[in-house]
Amino acid sequence: GPTPPPMPNPPPAVQQPRMDPLMASLTRTDPNPAGSQDTSEREKRLLVPALAFAVIGFSASLFMTITSMDTITAKIQQTTEVISQPPVMNKQYDDTCRGLCSSQDQQLEDMRAFMNKFAKSES
């Protein structure tokens, strides 16, 4: 009998690349939700107190800086004076021991005596 004509090869199915679930959730684009107008209104209502709080904080920091300017200036001047003075060299050297005090000759003799205990005696 007659054989049917060969079927053309169907194009390979396009496979979606497998993506990490976190990346998929971060890069997902949702259509605008129905309540987007309400959301932006809520955001505006939250933004006003946040901005007011930031302005009050900034104003308070400026006020504190201005009122304590004398203290800041005095500390800067004191630091500058200390830095600009040459170092004072008032070292007094004496023969007293400071730090680790030892007599090397005595230690070497003690070490020699200790090591000679283990030395093979010549007979």
Side-chain angles (χ1 to χ4, degrees):
T3 59
M7 294 276 298
N9 288 340
V14 176
Q15 212 174 15
Q16 290 289 339
R18 181 123 173 98
M19 191 182 296
D20 181 53
L22 177 63
M23 288 302 295
S25 68
L26 291 175
T27 58
R28 181 182 69 213
T29 55
D30 292 331
N32 286 340
S36 66
Q37 193 67 13
D38 295 337
T39 305
S40 64
E41 199 59 39
R42 269 186 270 145
E43 289 171 356
K44 286 178 189 174
R45 277 187 271 156
L46 287 175
L47 184 64
V48 170
L51 283 176
F53 188 73
V55 167
I56 290 171
F58 185 71
S59 301
S61 66
L62 280 178
F63 176 74
M64 298 285 272
T65 304
I66 291 170
T67 56
S68 61
M69 192 63 81
D70 294 336
T71 308
I72 294 171
T73 306
K75 287 291 184 185
I76 291 174
Q77 186 176 2
Q78 180 183 6
T79 305
T80 305
E81 288 173 2
V82 169
I83 291 175
S84 64
Q85 293 175 353
V88 178
M89 303 296 274
N90 57 357
K91 292 184 180 177
Q92 297 174 350
Y93 296 102
D94 52 6
D95 290 338
T96 60
C97 175
R98 295 188 321 220
L100 295 175
C101 302
S102 66
S103 169
Q104 285 186 344
D105 293 334
Q106 182 61 42
Q107 284 183 347
L108 285 173
E109 280 303 315
D110 292 344
M111 193 183 308
R112 182 177 295 125
F114 179 76
M115 296 302 282
N116 281 335
K117 289 181 190 177
F118 301 107
K120 293 181 182 178
S121 58
E122 294 184 27
S123 309

